[in-house]
Amino acid sequence: MSKVLGIVAEYNPFHNGHLYHLEKAKKDTGSNYTVAIMSGNFTQRGSASLMDKWSKAEAAIHCGVDLVIELPVLYAISSAENFAEGAIKILDSLKVVDYISFGAETSDIDILDKCADVLYREPREYKTLLSHELKKGLSFPKARENALMMYLNNIRKFANVLSSPNNILGIEYLKALKKLKSKIQPYSIARYEVGYNDLSYTGNIASSTAIRNIIKNNGFNTLANLMPAPSYATLIQNLKAGHIIPDISVFEKEIIYILRKMSTAEIAELPDVSEGLEFAIKNAANSCNSVIEFLNIIKSKRYTTTRLQRILLYALLGITKKDIAVSKKIQPYIRVLGLNKKGKFLISEIAKANPKLEIITSVKRFTDNNSNKNLQLMLDKDIWATNVYTIGYEEDSWNNLDFTKKIVTL
């Protein structure tokens, strides 16, 4: 009987480590089909994607993914919790996915599951510990890490687990599976040779962070060894076209302009802004003209760089706390970015398994026929995110690509 593997990814860009994970997950789970829920033009750490979402989908399909579905921007640039829950909601709604595989710094899924269980149940003792840690002025991720270690009563065992980015996302995937009572089986694969933020590389394996750093420093000669040939070809094609966005600093003038124009009350309505942070943001925006300068003024042990960068993205894309609240309460649509022949078969099976599911293969057709205001709001944010993203291109900065770009097909 056929098995379907689900993967949540940014593929920013698709490299040999991703290929290793994809092939190993397929083999170990015995899956015949693969669905990737992929973030679009902006990323969860609060930055821009190196290539546009269609280019990333093209690379993924060429490298062995059968169906690429976009993770809407309201999830893609949100907290780890909302990012994971949005992705799991999409995977679970397909009603054909048997497994979800994710990369983590540990392959011991039982350890991750114990943490996820505490976060899902939120026992009183844990909540008390969390409140105590937050009162110390720590960032929420650090306070939660400390509270979990104390609650689980094994600091040595859980310390390294809870400080690793992919482990944290893995825990959130497991928590979301519990919350949705999903039948999808989780499968963890330990990261191969290099860490999530490691700037060095071993042999032909490098992290996405390292690859983006190499591109920033014009070290293109080494890239061919670190990426599968189709992904490398797509990257070079975008480089030659002037369609590469190295990081969020490309949009720093637009961001500073928007923040200077916003009132403190409007800044307070941006997600992740609390405890008077809007005043610090307004003051920083009024006294600097670069992202690095801005972050250096505001960052502290309470506010991580990632959180602050996400706030900058929220301002750039016009996303408010109300928008994020909408994303948490609705069942998102299925926006197809790319597929191959097996992916086409999967789409037909998904439509049979869940006839009520909104599957978008044409943005115009969906917009013309849709009557759900919340889904339209979510799609409008995706469309606007693309329109903003292309401003960063060196050449051919076209608007409304979501209406004119075709699904990537092989």
Side-chain angles (χ1 to χ4, degrees):
M1 185 175 178
S2 297
K3 296 290 183 184
V4 180
L5 171 69
I7 290 175
V8 183
E10 290 187 324
Y11 291 151
N12 187 32
F14 194 106
H15 54 64
N16 289 339
H18 292 133
L19 184 63
Y20 166 81
H21 172 260
L22 176 63
E23 292 181 345
K24 181 170 174 55
K26 281 182 180 180
K27 181 180 178 182
D28 290 355
T29 61
S31 295
N32 316 85
Y33 300 89
T34 307
V35 181
I37 310 301
M38 187 188 75
S39 58
N41 296 321
F42 294 92
T43 66
Q44 200 267 331
R45 79 194 66 173
S47 193
S49 183
L50 190 65
M51 295 186 289
D52 70 82
K53 57 193 180 186
W54 294 280
S55 296
K56 293 197 297 179
E58 180 182 348
I61 297 293
H62 272 297
C63 291
V65 175
D66 300 312
L67 174 64
V68 178
I69 294 169
E70 181 177 4
L71 181 65
V73 72
L74 291 181
Y75 301 117
I77 66 169
S78 191
S79 65
E81 180 181 39
N82 203 39
F83 176 97
E85 189 170 325
I88 296 299
K89 278 199 286 190
I90 292 174
L91 277 178
D92 190 64
S93 72
L94 304 181
K95 304 300 180 189
V96 299
V97 178
D98 300 286
Y99 303 99
I100 175 174
S101 177
F102 52 86
E105 283 78 11
T106 176
S107 60
D108 190 344
I109 203 164
D110 289 336
I111 290 179
L112 302 180
D113 195 58
K114 284 178 182 176
C115 296
D117 192 58
V118 174
L119 296 179
Y120 170 62
R121 292 186 296 106
E122 290 194 315
R124 183 179 297 177
E125 184 184 345
Y126 161 73
K127 290 174 78 173
T128 301
L129 290 168
L130 177 60
S131 178
H132 182 265
E133 291 301 301
L134 285 170
K135 286 176 182 177
K136 293 180 180 178
L138 301 175
S139 67
F140 181 80
K142 188 62 182 175
R144 189 174 77 162
E145 178 186 334
N146 291 351
L148 268 171
M149 285 190 294
M150 287 186 282
Y151 180 82
L152 294 167
N153 199 27
N154 194 331
I155 292 175
R156 180 178 295 180
K157 183 176 182 179
F158 291 98
N160 291 332
V161 171
L162 294 168
S163 61
S164 303
N166 281 289
N167 285 346
I168 292 168
L169 263 180
I171 289 167
E172 291 296 346
Y173 295 139
L174 294 171
K175 188 177 81 173
L177 289 171
K178 293 174 188 292
K179 184 177 179 179
L180 295 171
K181 295 179 173 53
S182 175
K183 295 179 181 178
I184 297 174
Q185 295 297 306
Y187 178 70
S188 173
I189 295 178
R191 286 187 68 86
Y192 182 57
E193 292 188 350
V194 295
Y196 178 73
N197 286 317
D198 201 338
L199 292 178
S200 63
Y201 54 92
T202 306
N204 66 345
I205 299 292
S207 68
S208 295
T209 305
I211 290 174
R212 291 193 299 273
N213 192 58
I214 289 168
I215 291 170
K216 269 189 188 181
N217 295 309
N218 297 314
F220 305 120
N221 292 338
T222 60
L223 290 177
N225 189 47
L226 302 173
M227 302 171 67
S231 181
Y232 175 73
T234 303
L235 177 63
I236 295 301
Q237 183 181 351
N238 277 274
L239 275 166
K240 289 179 178 178
H243 291 178
I244 291 291
I245 311 289
D247 57 44
I248 193 177
S249 65
V250 169
F251 304 101
E252 61 189 6
K253 299 302 182 188
E254 290 86 351
I255 290 169
I256 299 299
Y257 164 78
I258 289 167
L259 289 174
R260 287 188 178 186
K261 191 175 181 183
M262 292 175 78
S263 67
T264 50
E266 289 170 327
I267 294 173
E269 290 305 307
L270 296 174
D272 285 348
V273 174
S274 60
E275 302 165 323
L277 179 58
E278 63 269 23
F279 297 102
I281 290 173
K282 187 66 174 175
N283 289 336
N286 286 341
S287 62
C288 68
N289 65 359
S290 77
V291 166
I292 292 176
E293 214 180 331
F294 176 92
L295 294 173
N296 285 335
I297 291 171
I298 296 185
K299 68 181 180 183
S300 66
K301 66 177 182 178
R302 181 178 285 276
Y303 305 115
T304 63
T305 299
T306 298
R307 177 177 172 179
L308 293 173
Q309 286 189 178
R310 284 205 305 267
I311 292 171
L312 296 182
L313 272 190
Y314 293 137
L316 178 66
L317 301 179
I319 292 171
T320 66
K321 288 174 179 173
K322 287 183 179 178
D323 298 329
I324 297 297
V326 167
S327 76
K328 291 180 178 180
K329 71 180 183 182
I330 66 171
Q331 176 58 54
Y333 46 70
I334 307 304
R335 171 78 188 280
V336 179
L337 290 179
L339 41 66
N340 58 17
K341 189 174 181 180
K342 290 166 73 175
K344 287 182 180 178
F345 173 76
L346 268 181
I347 284 292
S348 65
E349 292 299 296
I350 289 165
K352 289 179 195 172
N354 192 351
K356 295 181 179 179
L357 198 59
E358 293 285 0
I359 301 175
I360 301 177
T361 55
S362 165
V363 168
K364 185 180 186 306
R365 185 163 60 242
F366 176 82
T367 301
D368 288 345
N369 299 323
N370 173 56
S371 59
N372 186 314
K373 291 182 179 179
N374 287 334
L375 288 183
Q376 191 60 51
L377 179 145
M378 180 171 276
L379 183 60
D380 286 344
K381 296 299 179 183
D382 286 347
I383 293 167
W384 181 241
T386 303
N387 291 344
V388 171
Y389 181 82
T390 58
I391 291 173
Y393 285 176
E394 292 179 3
E395 300 190 34
D396 298 326
S397 182
W398 295 101
N399 198 38
N400 285 332
L401 291 184
D402 284 276
F403 292 93
T404 59
K405 278 274 191 179
K406 294 181 179 179
I407 292 173
V408 176
T409 56
L410 294 180

